[in-house]
Each structure stands twice: as C-alpha cells, then as structure tokens.
Amino acid sequence: MSINDKAMGAILGLACGDALGAQIEGYHKAEIKNNFGQVTDIRENENIELLINNANDEKSLNFLQRKLKQKRMPGIYTDDTQQALILCECFNLYRNVDLSFIANQYIKFAKFKPNYEFGLFRGVGPGFVQAVSNLMQFTPYDVSGVNSAGNGAAMRIAPVGIFYHDNLDMQQKAVIDISLLTHRDIRGIAAACIISYSISYLINSTNNFSIFNFLQSLYSFVYNTEEYMVANYPTIMWDLETKHQVSKAIKLVEQLMDLDYNTAIEHIDKLAASTSNNPNCNHTSPFVLGSVLFSLYHFIKTKDNLENSIIKAVNEGGDTDTIGAMVGCLCGALHGAKEIPDRWTKALLNCNFLKSIGKELMDSLPEYSNNETLYENEKKLCNFEKNYRLKYINLLNQRLGL
C-alpha cells in the first residue's frame, strides 16, 4: 500500500467519521440504541415528516423547532473536517505552516454573512468561538487560544501528521504553533500530538505493526513535546499536575490492552473524571483525557476492521463527530482509502473536492492547482444544509398553521 493511499485514507476517514458521527452528536449511547438501533450509514436516520405529523402538544412542537434549526444534513461534515481542510489548504499553498493564513481563514470563515452558525463553521464549540474572536481583535497568535484541554486541536491536526510524516522536528513545532491559535492548556496541545504522531507512524508502517513499539514511540514523542513546550513556550498553561498528564495517559492505554473493552473504558472514564475535576466527564466527553484517549485506545483495540471500528466508536455517543473524525483518520492512515466503504464516500458531500485537496497534500510540486477554493466550497455546503433545514421548518410551520 502506498503512502499516498494512506494519506488519502486519513483525510477521507476523518471526513466520513465526522459525517457519520455528526448525525447523532450529543446523544447518549442508550439513546442512540433506543432511537436508531445502530447507526452504520451516512443517511437520514429519522423520519422527520413523521415526527412533525405526530407532534401533538406544545412541548413536542417546541422541541422540533429547536431540533430543526440545528439538524445536520446527511452527508455533511462539521467544523472538525473544515478546520483540517484549512490546514491542508495552507500546506498546499505554502508547503509550510503559515499561521497568518490559518488565522485569517478562521476569521474569514467566521465572518461570512448571512451568519450560518459561526459564519461558515458548522458545529463549533465556545472555545473556538472565543479564540477566533480574540484573533479578530489582533491578539497575538501565542495567546489567542483559550485555556482549554478540549479536543479541538486534536480533531483537526491530522494533516500535520501527513505533511510532516518524515520530519518529526517540524511536526512537533507545527502541532504546537497551530494548536496555540485556539488552545493554551498543555494537555490540549499534547493530545493533538497523539493524533499527529499516530498518523505519521501509521503512514510509515505496515499493517502488522507492533502495538507495544507504537505506544512506546508515541509516549516518547508526546513526553518530549511536553518538555519542549514547558522550556520554550511561556504562554502555554501548565502546572506540575498537568505537565505530563497526557503522556502518562498513554502508559495507561498500554496497561489496558489485556483487559476486556468495557473494563478498559471504565478505567478511561475514571481518569477523565478525576483529571477534569468533573464527575460526569467520560470517554465521550470533549475533554482530551476522555475522547482523545478513548479514540487512541479504541483504534488500537478495533483496528483490524476499519468500518466496524468507526461504527462502534460513533455509537458510543457523546462527542460523536469528533470521535468519529479522530478514529476515522487513524483507521484511514492504517488501511488506506481503498478500505473506506464506497457507500460512505458516495454519501459524503464534497467528496471529490476532498480527494483533490488530499492529493495535493502529498504532491511534491510546490503549486496548488485547485481551481475552486475551500471557502467557496464551504459556502455551497452551508447553503445546502440551510435549504435542507428550511424544507422541514416550512413543513412544521404548515403544521402549526403559520
């Protein structure tokens, strides 16, 4: 299998996992099972017209009104993939990290009028909104990020692992600098290193790689990056308790390999709750020692079957789009684009553009040949989803006699 096929697999796996999980984001595992059975395809999982027709009281009608304003269109990915594609576009244009370009793209997307959710961004969290608002006020790049250990840096970072798959020094600096735009907590950045390094390791490896060697080298990279951040980045937030929390968590994953899946998840949940100081935080929460650690463990435990791995991950519930994106890019980097189900890529809106921008990422030519920009593509996708929602909102209004 070629490196190019693995790189393309990482990009398409990220987008497919994101789109699959976007349909059920925020649902608990039991709610997914009770309402949808098991979500396996990128398609409409609910009969919206039936829900509208059966809504017969003020509570159910109000619920539908709120639901339809935020409903994801089947086949559309969220800001996880959008932010990753901005990094791809940066590398394709400049063959290097250009923080000014990335920051300006964040601002350009966010300022799109008429406002969609946050400009053109779909499903962003409050931390990203605050960070981009800081950038709009010309806050320096090393302090624009919020003090958050959320998974926002990790979810978008796969292109760095692809582009710098053969240069770990450049990869390390790129992950830190790009992550700092939105995250200043050392754990949020170190967790992004988990995804980027794993992608580069998988791209360079054979399918029968040693789990032990992988986790050992991953631990070393993340630990050294934590030390490097403390020594060289004064604006990063850390203390003695958080300094090596992420690298220590990788050691925990190694210890969990011999346990059954559900028991291992219980250990991850306990770690997430204790390190976040939130008793409700678990493996599907945005906190990195929840969802990023879970995605790493889940990938290793279920890596032999790309399709089943991604399906099982998103059906755990919670932050499903981001978990789907992270597990998807890892599985894609291991198995390559050819293993991603055709029914997913055919259902994925904008798939041809993703393939084009992904191909450029691994091209040695310094010219970016895409004729249509990412920004123009995202405007189209947002309009598609707005019209999709509007169709059902109009049906509901008719039902209400409005």
Side-chain angles (χ1 to χ4, degrees), residues 32 42 83 119 130 132 155 163 191-192 213 326 333 356 380 384 392:
I32 296 171
I42 300 172
Q83 292 182 45
Q130 182 59 58
V132 175
M155 72 185 190
F163 191 76
N213 290 341
M326 292 188 293
S356 176
K380 291 180 182 179
F384 287 159
Y392 290 117

Side-chain angles (χ1 to χ4, degrees), residues 240-275:
L240 291 178
E241 185 178 355
T242 61
K243 178 181 177 182
H244 289 303
Q245 260 183 14
V246 173
S247 56
K248 287 179 180 177
I250 296 170
K251 288 293 187 183
L252 173 65
V253 170
E254 187 177 329
Q255 297 167 14
L256 298 179
M257 285 299 106
D258 293 331
L259 301 179
D260 69 87
Y261 186 87
N262 290 330
T263 302
I265 296 303
E266 290 176 4
H267 283 277
I268 295 174
D269 286 346
K270 289 178 182 177
L271 178 68
S274 63
T275 52

Side-chain angles (χ1 to χ4, degrees), residues 6 8 18 20 33 85 87 91 129 158 164 168 176 179 193 207 216 222 232 237 253 256-257 261 263 267 283 329 383:
K6 288 187 165 210
M8 184 65 72
D18 181 4
L20 188 67
K33 184 177 181 180
L85 292 177
L87 301 187
F91 288 131
V129 172
Y164 291 122
L168 293 183
I176 298 169
S179 298
C193 288
N207 282 16
Q216 285 291 308
V222 174
N232 296 282
M237 309 296 290
V253 170
L256 298 179
M257 285 299 106
Y261 186 87
T263 302
H267 283 277
H283 65 289
C329 70
N383 283 328

